[in-house]
Amino acid sequence: MRRYVTRVAVVAASVSGLLWVAAGTGTATGGQERQYVVLYAQGGSTQAAHAAIAAAGGKVLEENTAIGVATVTTKSDAFQAAARASSAIAGVARSTVIGRAPDDRLAGDKASFKFDAAQADLQGATAARPASQDAAKGTKKQEPLAGLQWDMQQIGATADGSQRYEQGKGVRVGIIDTGVDGTHPDIAPNFDKALSRNFTTDIPVDANGAVVDGPCEHPSCVDPVDEDDNGHGTHVASEIASPVNKLGIAGIAPKATIVSLRAGQDSGFFFLQPTVDALTYAGDHGIDVVNMSFYVDPWLFNCADNPADTPADQAEQRTVVTAMQRALDYAYSHGVTLVSAAGNGGTDYTKTIVDSSSPDFADVPGEQPYDRTIPPSCTSMPSEGNHVLSVTSTGISKRKAYYSDYGNGYADLSAPGGDVYDTADNKRDITKAVLAAYPKQLAQARGQLNPDGTPNTPSVVQSCHDGVCGYYQYLQGTSMASPHAAGVAALAVGRFGVRDHVNGGKTASPALVEQVLRATATDTPCPTPPLFTYTRLVKQPDGTFVTVTASHMCEGTPTDNGFYGDGIVDAKKVARGF
């Protein structure tokens, strides 16, 4: 059962380091430069690992000293085999994408194992009522758009709820995502630009010539730390910590500090090196909570010995799991609470399933995904990593969202992530998704604003105060559920933590934070009957509707089950100390 989603710098390291390597001359070359991630043998010698890399034809580009991993660029066709043959090396993986955040705009309507499957149903959705910034008019002390935040009402994260007791001041929350728009007026007051980092470099196209990130926005192809050209990370950050400032919305921990730890490409892919760099940086810089709304690619599920995979691919997947777990362990041991999205495939992670999506990034010409039978022994990272809290998604009625992955022993907690079909007539309603901050430049680039700046689509909402306007978009997914749990975790640190004498603010052990979240979560039993059938009336281009059904089996007890884990997080209980 599953339990538990290019810099040129060489740094002297202990054997717990991560290393980038450039082309060497020790072996015959094939002429094309490629990158690999090398995993050092646990407890071995750094010098021996360096020597093995050089002998195999590699040269160090960058080293992360926190964990025993190395990324390699080489022209040698024999590099993988030569490096793996050394006792100083525990594994080698292609330096390809290992994580993917959902494309919240362009996903197809066909269910898949990708997080972006849930976003298909946001296209062309119509609001049941106007999305007005006056939605909360007459509600004392609430933010202008609070009336549209059914998600916050579900967990008690409101002006007369959790905000009365605790708001997360002095707590640092790391957003490991596609970046954060630190200039957004409903994020800027809580954004720490100096502490934020971008660990990525934009990639225009892949090995097949397909567009990945598209043209670089900056000459260096490295975006500033306060930029988000995807929108996903900004939404996540806003859910967690948008301030109370008479504009737009309030996050769950409206006085927490937002730190962008960008590991995702503009396109939503995540490379291994940036991801582990973000985790180890979090551990080294006093980050209290990190949110991880992405999953491990190019293999959605990493299998040690799947017969459908080549021996090289099997070894690669073992390397990814080990490298990621080392990074997760490092962050956890340095006081970081780890929260992850459970996934949007609508599958039970504790059962044998079929994955048709992997590998989903072509780092060699002609590479395509293929069908694989996935037993529960395979691992999806980071959501199935040790010490990680995996969060499933609920809709406005508190039912498990139709797209949310689940599993008794996999789901740790649940939180509102939206379900646009959680309606009386089973037709989609955009307001049943989650509303949070949206970069203005993306709304403009995507043609979602009129010439006067007002939105021309119900999926985007504008809020203005004292001549300053902010934009907000509706999204759904476990990517939205996870930040709700991360926000409540921030409240737990603020409420139960102690003064951090090194970094200032508050600090609390991840074990304590987990205990608080589980103890305060609202027990939510399986539906009756436990085999729950979702019915969606999906609108077609010609205006007709097609009925789509799917049945998910909930297993477990009323207090701990596959749909809700230990229950739906409760911000108010945590904030007031239970």
Side-chain angles (χ1 to χ4, degrees):
M1 178 179 293
R2 297 192 182 93
R3 179 66 179 85
Y4 332 148
V5 156
T6 307
R7 300 162 189 81
V8 183
V10 181
V11 182
S14 67
V15 81
S16 59
L18 183 77
L19 185 67
W20 282 81
V21 182
T25 58
T27 59
T29 64
Q32 183 177 1
E33 190 172 70
R34 299 192 60 210
Q35 291 183 347
Y36 296 89
V37 175
V38 178
L39 182 67
Y40 297 173
Q42 190 74 45
S45 163
T46 302
Q47 290 74 21
H50 288 184
I53 289 168
K59 180 182 176 183
V60 176
L61 292 179
E62 181 187 344
E63 191 166 39
N64 178 320
T65 61
I67 60 174
V69 185
T71 299
V72 176
T73 300
T74 180
K75 293 183 179 179
S76 172
D77 292 336
F79 179 83
Q80 281 182 288
R84 285 178 180 146
S86 170
S87 61
I89 303 300
V92 179
R94 293 168 295 172
S95 183
T96 54
V97 172
I98 66 130
R100 180 162 173 78
D103 182 332
D104 300 308
R105 300 169 296 109
L106 304 177
D109 200 26
K110 182 179 179 181
S112 71
F113 295 104
K114 295 189 176 297
F115 276 15
D116 54 17
Q119 305 307 331
D121 296 310
L122 298 183
Q123 295 191 83
T126 56
R129 52 192 169 85
S132 168
Q133 63 177 328
D134 295 323
K137 186 176 181 179
T139 305
K140 188 175 180 181
K141 297 189 296 186
Q142 288 191 344
E143 292 294 84
L145 300 181
L148 302 179
Q149 293 184 278
W150 63 266
D151 52 312
M152 299 303 180
Q153 296 165 27
Q154 185 175 111
I155 62 173
T158 60
D160 57 357
S162 61
Q163 290 176 27
R164 295 174 56 193
Y165 306 99
E166 176 61 52
Q167 296 191 22
K169 185 176 181 179
V171 181
R172 293 174 173 175
V173 182
I175 312 299
I176 303 181
D177 216 290
T178 60
V180 174
D181 179 7
T183 68
H184 192 288
D186 222 359
I187 286 178
N190 289 339
F191 185 73
D192 191 331
K193 184 175 180 179
L195 198 58
S196 296
R197 293 291 183 273
N198 177 10
F199 299 101
T200 71
T201 300
D202 287 352
I203 303 170
V205 297
D206 67 10
N208 287 330
V211 173
V212 181
D213 298 325
C216 297
E217 296 88 2
H218 303 276
S220 65
C221 287
V222 178
D223 297 335
V225 296
D226 58 353
E227 184 173 305
D228 178 12
D229 295 317
N230 179 287
H232 187 265
T234 298
H235 197 282
V236 165
S238 175
E239 291 177 51
I240 295 171
S242 273
V244 176
N245 59 354
K246 299 181 181 179
L247 179 73
I249 68 168
I252 296 151
K255 290 187 178 179
T257 298
I258 297 169
V259 181
S260 177
L261 304 178
R262 179 174 168 178
Q265 304 298 130
D266 290 346
S267 53
F269 287 104
F270 286 67
F271 285 100
L272 178 57
Q273 174 82 41
T275 303
V276 297
D277 278 355
L279 284 165
T280 56
Y281 182 91
D284 289 337
H285 291 83
I287 305 301
D288 299 296
V289 181
V290 296
N291 185 81
M292 300 177 289
S293 289
F294 61 88
Y295 67 78
V296 175
D297 287 314
W299 309 98
L300 173 53
F301 296 99
N302 294 274
C303 304
D305 54 4
N306 195 311
D309 302 328
T310 66
D313 284 344
Q314 293 172 357
E316 175 178 271
Q317 292 166 69
R318 292 193 296 269
T319 299
V320 168
V321 171
T322 304
M324 279 293 295
Q325 191 57 60
R326 286 190 191 179
L328 293 167
D329 289 344
Y330 184 88
Y332 184 85
S333 68
H334 285 71
V336 183
T337 296
L338 305 165
V339 184
S340 178
N344 291 354
T347 57
D348 186 337
Y349 270 36
T350 69
K351 311 299 182 186
T352 296
I353 59 178
V354 175
D355 173 25
S356 303
S357 68
S358 304
D360 64 358
F361 181 88
D363 72 324
V364 294
E367 188 170 43
Q368 300 291 334
Y370 54 91
D371 289 347
R372 297 191 303 157
T373 298
I374 306 297
S377 59
C378 297
T379 304
S380 186
M381 296 291 275
S383 65
E384 290 189 286
N386 294 329
H387 310 306
V388 176
L389 293 171
S390 180
V391 184
T392 63
S393 179
T394 62
I396 191 171
S397 72
K398 298 185 181 181
R399 76 177 191 182
K400 182 189 77 69
Y402 72 91
Y403 53 77
S404 181
D405 287 318
Y406 58 101
N408 189 24
Y410 170 60
D412 291 307
L413 296 162
S414 57
D419 183 341
V420 296
Y421 287 100
D422 191 0
T423 58
D425 61 2
N426 297 320
K427 294 180 181 179
R428 61 185 178 180
D429 175 358
I430 194 67
T431 67
K432 302 307 182 287
V434 173
L435 187 69
Y438 186 28
K440 179 180 179 180
Q441 76 273 14
L442 291 181
Q444 291 175 320
R446 294 168 180 172
Q448 295 171 315
L449 302 183
N450 296 313
D452 64 356
T454 57
N456 58 30
T457 171
S459 65
V460 178
V461 180
Q462 181 189 51
S463 177
C464 301
H465 176 67
D466 283 346
V468 176
C469 294
Y471 293 90
Y472 306 81
Q473 66 170 330
Y474 282 104
L475 297 178
Q476 68 173 11
T478 56
S479 281
M480 283 65 250
S482 178
H484 284 78
V488 177
L491 295 181
V493 175
R495 180 66 176 80
F496 297 99
V498 297
R499 182 182 176 188
D500 187 336
H501 293 284
V502 176
N503 300 303
K506 294 287 191 71
T507 184
S509 75
L512 172 62
V513 174
E514 177 179 353
Q515 181 181 8
V516 169
L517 263 61
R518 290 184 184 276
T520 56
T522 302
D523 290 336
T524 309
C526 289
T528 303
L531 182 63
F532 186 82
T533 298
Y534 296 88
T535 300
R536 294 183 290 145
L537 297 182
V538 180
K539 192 173 184 178
Q540 303 302 297
D542 63 1
T544 61
F545 289 87
V546 172
T547 301
V548 178
T549 61
S551 297
H552 298 171
M553 175 63 77
C554 182
E555 299 175 324
T557 69
T559 60
D560 188 3
N561 56 69
F563 276 17
Y564 302 100
D566 272 327
I568 301 173
V569 296
D570 191 318
K572 185 175 180 179
K573 282 185 181 179
V574 171
R576 70 184 183 191
F578 293 41

